[in-house]
């Protein structure tokens, strides 16, 4: 389907935000708002968000991507992912005004963009679905345990490591020190990886779970096989019955992309993400 791209400006408090809507000739009633992750702007790593928005629009699904305050072209001070609720609300408002006939929106988020979506979605009835890719649920002991379990185990079977050892180029002292730090962190108390809101009594993963539990719409998780952030989240789920109950609900779908890295840097992985998103948005 043919589509056009429209640059938008809209207010969030006293600051101007900027975004782009990819608008099909005949837009479906359900659109997709793409939420960035990390210190990132609306194009995304490897232009993933640009490509995703255009792929959605070509299939008749309006898509909007935008810059938080303090990022890209938008004004204001930089925000942490736990404090972008006002940005998301302003973007949803502008998205609806830009797409006549749209009556619900799916929020699509990668990494801490997925985490931000979990915090926001339950408070906005216009949000009917979430696409959550490699959600950021970082704690100090969580990433340490995940690294020990997945990274170091894989390293032991890596031929490159043994070649380095055989050639005398492996720094045993540094490796031992690194391993000791990981073990110490894995055995320590969990600390969140967020910003000001991370000082709350509940750890980040618990607040994410509470946010997702408040949301009653459809949910699609997409996990990269070769990503420690995804593995940390999945390890968290395996160790928490409350998370397991949430992800077993009939409204939740899970997909995994074999060999993919955190930001889906290869075209085949980006194309797979786009196809999964399109098919899921159309499936309910």
């Amino acid at each position: 389907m043919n589509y056009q791209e429209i640059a938008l400006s809209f207010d969030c408090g006293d600051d101007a935000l900027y975004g782009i809507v990819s608008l099909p000739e005949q837009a479906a009633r359900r659109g997709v708002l793409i939420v960035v992750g990390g210190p990132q702007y609306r194009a995304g790593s490897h232009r993933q968000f640009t490509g995703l928005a255009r792929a959605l629009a070509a299939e008749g699904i309006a898509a909007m991507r935008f810059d938080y305050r303090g990022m890209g072209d938008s004004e204001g001070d930089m925000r942490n992912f736990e404090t972008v609720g006002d940005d998301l609300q302003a973007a949803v408002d502008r998205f609806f005004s830009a797409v006549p006939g749209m009556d619900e929106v799916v929020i699509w988020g990668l990494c801490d963009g997925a985490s931000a979506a979990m915090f926001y979605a339950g408070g906005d009835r216009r949000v009917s679905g979430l696409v959550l890719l490699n959600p950021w649920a970082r704690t100090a002991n969580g990433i340490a345990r995940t690294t020990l379990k997945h990274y170091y185990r894989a390293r032991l079977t890596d031929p490159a490591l043994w070649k380095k050892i055989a050639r005398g180029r492996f720094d045993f002292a540094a490796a031992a020190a690194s391993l000791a730090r990981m073990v110490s962190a894995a055995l320590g108390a969990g600390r969140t990886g967020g910003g000001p809101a991370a000082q709350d009594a509940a750890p980040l993963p618990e607040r994410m779970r509470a946010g997702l539990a408040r949301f009653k719409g459809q949910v699609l998780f997409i996990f990269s096989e070769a990503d420690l952030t995804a593995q940390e989240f999945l390890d968290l789920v395996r160790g928490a019955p409350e998370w397991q109950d949430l992800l077993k609900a009939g409204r939740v779908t899970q997909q995994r992309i074999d060999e993919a890295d955190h930001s889906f840097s290869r075209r085949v992985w980006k194309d797979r993400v786009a196809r999964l998103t399109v098919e899921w948005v159309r499936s309910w």
Side-chain angles (χ1 to χ4, degrees), residues 28-267:
R29 66 182 184 87
R30 182 178 298 142
V32 176
L33 178 69
I34 299 170
V35 177
V36 303
Q40 186 61 267
Y41 84 118
R42 62 183 180 270
S45 299
H46 327 291
R47 294 180 60 80
Q48 180 183 15
F49 304 154
T50 299
L52 173 64
R54 292 172 178 174
L56 289 165
E59 296 289 343
I61 301 167
M64 176 176 170
R65 49 198 171 88
F66 73 103
D67 296 333
Y68 293 140
R69 283 173 289 179
M71 291 302 302
D73 294 314
S74 293
E75 298 174 351
D77 297 327
M78 184 180 294
R79 298 308 200 267
N80 177 271
F81 72 96
E82 297 192 56
T83 58
V84 294
D86 290 343
D87 303 66
L88 289 174
Q89 182 174 344
V92 172
D93 291 344
R94 188 66 181 91
F95 193 16
F96 272 91
S97 68
V99 185
M102 189 176 74
D103 56 25
E104 60 186 69
V105 65
V106 168
I107 296 181
W108 186 106
L110 169 66
C111 190
D112 60 31
S115 308
M118 291 188 204
F119 289 135
Y120 176 81
D124 191 334
R125 294 183 179 180
R126 298 170 295 180
V127 180
S128 60
L130 296 174
V131 182
L132 307 172
L133 298 88
N134 302 331
W136 177 270
R138 179 60 45 84
T139 63
N141 62 337
I143 188 57
R145 291 175 181 174
T146 299
T147 302
L148 287 171
K149 179 179 179 181
H150 299 281
Y151 173 76
Y152 281 101
R153 181 182 296 175
R155 285 284 284 164
L156 289 174
T157 59
D158 183 356
L161 170 66
W162 295 105
K163 288 180 181 178
K164 185 180 291 187
I165 292 173
R167 294 169 182 170
R169 297 177 180 176
F170 185 75
D171 189 336
F172 285 95
S178 175
L179 179 59
R181 288 194 296 270
M182 284 291 175
V183 172
S184 177
L187 296 175
R191 296 193 304 275
T192 63
Q199 304 304 316
D200 292 353
L204 173 61
E206 292 184 21
R207 285 179 279 124
M208 289 171 57
R209 179 177 56 79
L212 187 60
R214 284 193 300 271
F215 178 66
K216 303 305 178 183
Q218 300 292 312
V219 181
L220 170 64
F221 282 97
I222 300 177
F223 300 111
S224 297
E225 181 186 43
D227 175 46
L228 286 179
T229 298
Q231 293 301 331
E232 181 180 2
F233 180 82
L234 291 169
D235 287 347
L236 165 72
V237 170
R238 295 185 190 103
E242 300 88 348
W243 270 109
Q244 293 173 27
D245 290 342
L246 263 180
L247 268 64
K248 288 178 182 177
R251 64 191 180 93
V252 177
T253 302
Q254 298 183 53
Q255 296 284 354
R256 186 184 75 167
I257 299 184
D258 293 342
E259 301 181 353
D261 57 22
H262 181 69
S263 58
F264 305 94
S265 59
R266 293 179 57 187
R267 178 172 295 278

